[in-house]
Every structure is written in C-alpha cells, then in structure tokens.
Amino acid sequence: MKKTSFLTMALLLMVSLLAACGGGGAMPNPETGATGGTGTTAGTTDSGGDGDAPASDVTLKMFQFKVEIADAMEKLLAEYKKETGVNITIETVGGGADYGAALKAKFASGDEPDIFNNGGYNEAQLWKDRMEDLSDQPWVADLTDNVKDPMTMDGKLYGLPMNIEGYGFLYNKALFEQAGITEIPTTLTALREAAQKLKDAGIVPFENGYQEWWVIGQHLVNDAYAKQADPDKFIADWREGKTSVADNEIFNQWIDLVDLTMEFSNDRPLTTDYNTQMTEFASGMAAMTQQGNWTQVQIDGIDPEVEIGILPMPINDDVALNDNIFVGVPNNWVVNKDSANKEEAKKFLNWMVTSETGKRYTVEEFKFIPALKTITYEPEQLGDIAAGIQEYVQADKTLGWQWPKLPDGTSQEFGALMQAYVAKKITKEELFKQMDETVLKLAKK
C-alpha cells in the first residue's frame, strides 16, 4: 500500500516542532453546517504585514466555506479593523450548500471576492487564471514543502494552506467503556463486534449524517481511493476509462463498510444534516460518527466535558491496510488576481498567520492544526480530536485526501449516487456503473 505522504510529513514536522519548542504561544475546518451569513470586520496588535500600512479606506470582500469558524472569523476581522481601519466583509457558504457552485455564481455576477477558498489540485487548475501568485509572500518560508503541493503549479504557489485536518470515525470514550469495548477496532470484523456490543448495551452505534453530500460522497468514498495500491495511478486510469470500480477489489470491500454503518445506523440518516449529526453525537445519542477535528468547536459548545477519540474506517480485516486515518489540507486562502485591492488582501493574509492575534485565533478560536511551523501550540489547546490525530501522525498511520484530484463536480454527483444506494434505490452494481460513467463524463468537460 502506498501512503500519500505530503500531509503526513507536514504534520510530522509540526509534531517535531512541538517536541523541540514545547508548544507555547498563541494558536492551533471541510465542509460543515449550513449556509452562513455576512458581516464586516478587520485587525489587532502586530501588523505582521509587508512593511506598508494598510489603507484605511479599503473594504475587502472575503468568500469562504468554513461554517464552523464563521463567528470567530468575524471577531478576528473586527480585530483587524481596530488595528488598521480596513473593513473586511465576509460571506460564508458551506455544508449543505455547494461552495464551488456559489463561488462560480459570484464571479459570473461580477460580485467578485478579493479573498476566497480553493481546495487545490484539480480545483487549482480550474481557477488558475483567477488567482494571484503568492510565491513571494513572507509566510511561504514558514510552510513545509509538502503542504504546498495542492496549490503549486508551474513552480508557483497560489494559496495559503488554511490548516491541516484529519478524519475517521470519532467515538465517545465513555460510551465505548459502557459497552465494554476495550480495544480500538482496526478491522471490519472488529468494528462490527464493537457496533454489536454498543447496540446490545442500548447505545446507537453510528450517527450518520448522510444528508450531506460531502460526508457520503467525498469523505466516505475517499476511504476507497486512498487505500488503492497507487491512488494517483488509479485516479488517472479511472479518468481515462482504463479501470472500473466494479472490478476493483478495494471498492468491493469498501461497500461492506458502507453497509455496516447503515446496519447499525441512527434513524433517518438521509435526513440527518451536519448540525443534527454533531448535536446528537456530542449529546451522547450515538457512539460513533464519521467526522474530523473541525468539529471540535461545535462539540465543545454542546458538551465541553465529553471525551472524544478517533479511530480508523476499516474496509476488511487487513490491519496493515486499515489502521490509519485520513489527513489533509482542507482548503487554501487565495487572492483574486484581478482585484483592485489585492495588495491589501495579501497584507491581511500575512497578518492572519504572523501576528500574535492571528496566531491566537488559529489555535484557540478556530482550533486549527496549523500549516505553518511558526505557529506553535500546546496539544490541549486544540482538543481531544487533534490530539488523537497527532498520535496517528507520530505513528505514521495516515493516508491522504484524494478527491481533489477527481474532475470538478465528481464528489457532488457521487453524493447523490451514494444517497440513492443507501436508500436502496440502486444496487451496488448500478452504483459502481454510474460512478464509472460519472468520472468519464466529467473528465471530458
């Protein structure tokens, strides 16, 4: 099995930094929630800029997708305004809404943001002509080489990595203990046994938020991409019609995991949105849910005392294949190349990752695992989930996020197909056939 390593190395370097520096200081998600709103704001203490004072008569427009940090981001922008006089309006579209489609609509209408998000790889290629080259920015030297990969094209860097995230099955430690589960399941058989113990104890094993296309059509399916012997070759061949998931052993085993989550599911998983999923999980109504460390802020808001761990998403009984979680850069901050205020936009991004205020918000408010070596933190600042992710990183038990390498729109269409499969409207054979057809169709666009 080939492990996708750029994210693993990024986190390993950060873990090494923790050991060397002992943490300290101010600091530490993909798609979550529902549609956010708009607000104005701006800055704080150290400007962290490029030497020139920001222009106080400027208003920047930011369009971003991380619903879970929307409120904290508005506060951060208010800090920036206090320091610089620069207004930044923010609009957040995430979770059940399609950020990519909303962003395209923004540009088509002429209401172009100055700062927006880009997931990298295929998405970076699609937006290359609208993004500013950020290779000369001061923070670039503070990034590990590996986290630059998704946004590097022709030797130029077009995005500032937002943070690093990991996901798998989150689990409630107290409920596992109540059901008598003493070992983390790392195989499909062990996961089934754990689910049965939970059910026998009167506990709902899985809280499935399968109303959200990204939960089921992006993160869940990534389990099958990432466990291919060579994910890059598999995806390249798939795009060209040289391989089929119907004949792929990993996909045929992965569907067994999907079926298991449904066998031991909460009621009405296809009408369970992200907010309901996390509220019910954090309230102790289910023992496991498929999510990552971006949920920490919401979990803390519901029950700050609940102890959460993270475990693998096994598709068969091969421990070597399955004892891992998925780690990646969820998104990147980019600057509109055609913005009249692009220099001011770059100053803000630099301030966000170099000022003491920006670093503090990154860790304490956003609960982000930072993508910059200069943002230090103590593990407890980020919460249980990030601490669990670090353990997997230190043990070199991580796989990458592969869906950004698929054609634009693939994950959304897969979300609809997966929902049809879960609803028993299509068979496994029909699902795989339509997945093949979707990739071929979108790859030709």
Side-chain angles (χ1 to χ4, degrees):
M1 173 184 61
K2 176 181 176 182
K3 294 189 177 181
T4 303
S5 62
F6 82 91
L7 300 160
T8 299
M9 290 304 299
L11 273 176
L12 283 171
L13 285 169
M14 279 181 274
V15 171
S16 297
L17 180 69
L18 272 179
C21 301
M27 82 111 299
N29 93 7
E31 16 319 319
T32 52
T35 304
T38 59
T40 54
T41 26
T44 312
T45 45
D46 307 327
S47 73
D50 59 8
D52 298 324
S56 60
D57 59 344
V58 168
T59 294
L60 297 174
K61 293 184 291 186
M62 175 185 289
F63 191 69
Q64 73 98 25
F65 88 124
K66 272 202 155 312
V67 173
E68 64 271 20
I69 67 165
D71 291 343
M73 180 61 76
E74 292 219 22
K75 294 175 184 177
L76 177 64
L77 299 182
E79 296 279 3
Y80 192 64
K81 183 176 181 178
K82 271 195 290 183
E83 181 178 323
T84 66
V86 175
N87 283 320
I88 304 180
T89 64
I90 180 171
E91 184 174 357
T92 299
V93 174
D98 187 337
Y99 176 81
L103 180 63
K104 290 176 183 177
K106 278 282 182 186
F107 274 81
S109 70
D111 183 21
E112 299 184 9
D114 302 292
I115 299 170
F116 58 100
N117 294 154
N118 189 283
Y121 291 120
N122 188 72
E123 189 177 336
Q125 293 289 339
L126 291 173
W127 287 89
K128 182 179 179 181
D129 293 340
R130 308 308 297 267
M131 299 188 301
E132 178 77 357
D133 178 8
L134 301 179
S135 304
D136 63 350
Q137 292 303 289
W139 45 261
V140 172
D142 298 330
L143 296 172
T144 67
D145 290 339
N146 293 309
V147 298
K148 301 176 187 177
D149 292 353
M151 294 300 294
T152 297
M153 296 174 287
D154 301 325
K156 298 176 181 179
L157 180 65
Y158 289 87
L160 166 62
M162 185 180 286
N163 64 319
I164 291 174
E165 293 179 343
Y167 76 92
F169 286 134
L170 304 185
Y171 72 98
N172 183 312
K173 293 183 178 181
L175 294 182
F176 264 47
E177 182 178 354
Q178 182 180 329
I181 302 168
T182 57
E183 295 184 5
I184 297 300
T186 57
T187 66
L188 190 65
T189 296
L191 184 62
R192 171 175 289 280
E193 291 171 352
Q196 188 63 56
K197 286 183 178 180
L198 289 161
K199 184 177 180 179
D200 291 345
I203 300 166
V204 176
F206 288 99
E207 179 73 26
N208 295 317
Y210 288 166
Q211 177 178 315
E212 305 291 1
W213 64 266
W214 56 271
V215 170
I216 194 169
Q218 190 175 68
H219 290 184
L220 181 56
V221 187
N222 183 70
D223 199 352
Y225 309 149
K227 287 175 181 172
Q228 300 293 326
D230 185 339
D232 285 341
K233 184 179 187 306
F234 168 77
I235 291 173
D237 287 348
W238 201 15
R239 293 177 65 127
E240 295 177 12
K242 295 179 180 179
T243 191
S244 167
V245 294
D247 302 323
N248 186 274
E249 182 180 13
I250 293 295
F251 264 88
N252 277 279
Q253 294 172 340
W254 162 79
I255 206 71
D256 293 337
L257 172 64
V258 178
D259 293 344
L260 177 63
T261 68
M262 288 306 302
E263 181 182 347
F264 293 94
S265 179
N266 56 304
D267 292 335
R268 300 179 296 280
L270 288 174
T271 57
T272 299
D273 63 10
Y274 170 80
N275 285 324
T276 303
Q277 177 189 9
M278 295 318 302
T279 299
E280 293 188 351
F281 173 72
S283 300
M285 295 173 65
M288 292 180 282
T289 197
Q290 178 205 304
Q291 286 291 348
N293 59 298
W294 55 86
T295 64
Q296 190 72 63
V297 173
Q298 185 168 355
I299 290 173
D300 288 347
I302 297 167
D303 183 355
E305 302 302 318
V306 64
E307 293 186 22
I308 303 297
I310 186 168
L311 54 84
M313 297 171 61
I315 64 171
N316 58 27
D317 287 347
D318 182 349
V319 175
L321 179 68
N322 291 291
D323 189 11
N324 45 58
I325 61 170
F326 307 103
V327 177
V329 173
N331 234 309
N332 301 269
W333 297 107
V334 302
V335 173
N336 185 345
K337 184 178 71 175
D338 299 320
S339 167
N341 299 314
K342 64 184 180 182
E343 295 306 318
E344 293 301 328
K346 287 189 275 188
K347 287 176 185 176
F348 168 72
L349 292 184
N350 190 52
W351 177 88
M352 185 167 59
V353 296
T354 61
S355 71
E356 290 306 309
T357 302
K359 291 178 180 180
R360 181 176 66 79
Y361 267 78
T362 298
V363 180
E364 297 180 5
E365 302 296 332
F366 302 160
K367 302 292 185 182
F368 279 173
I369 298 173
L372 283 82
K373 295 175 286 185
T374 47
I375 302 181
T376 58
Y377 62 95
E378 297 289 348
E380 55 267 24
Q381 288 178 282
L382 306 188
D384 291 344
I385 305 171
I389 290 168
Q390 288 177 353
E391 291 179 8
Y392 279 93
V393 171
Q394 289 174 308
D396 193 23
K397 293 181 177 181
T398 66
L399 298 177
W401 295 8
Q402 304 297 329
W403 67 83
K405 301 171 185 177
L406 290 159
D408 188 39
T410 300
S411 294
Q412 289 87 339
E413 293 210 20
F414 280 7
L417 290 173
M418 288 296 298
Q419 287 164 344
Y421 175 75
V422 166
K424 301 187 184 303
K425 293 181 178 179
I426 59 175
T427 64
K428 179 184 79 170
E429 291 74 23
E430 291 169 329
L431 170 67
F432 287 168
K433 180 176 182 291
Q434 291 184 53
M435 291 175 84
D436 287 340
E437 292 172 349
T438 296
V439 171
L440 278 175
K441 175 187 69 176
L442 295 177
K444 292 177 180 177
K445 285 189 175 182

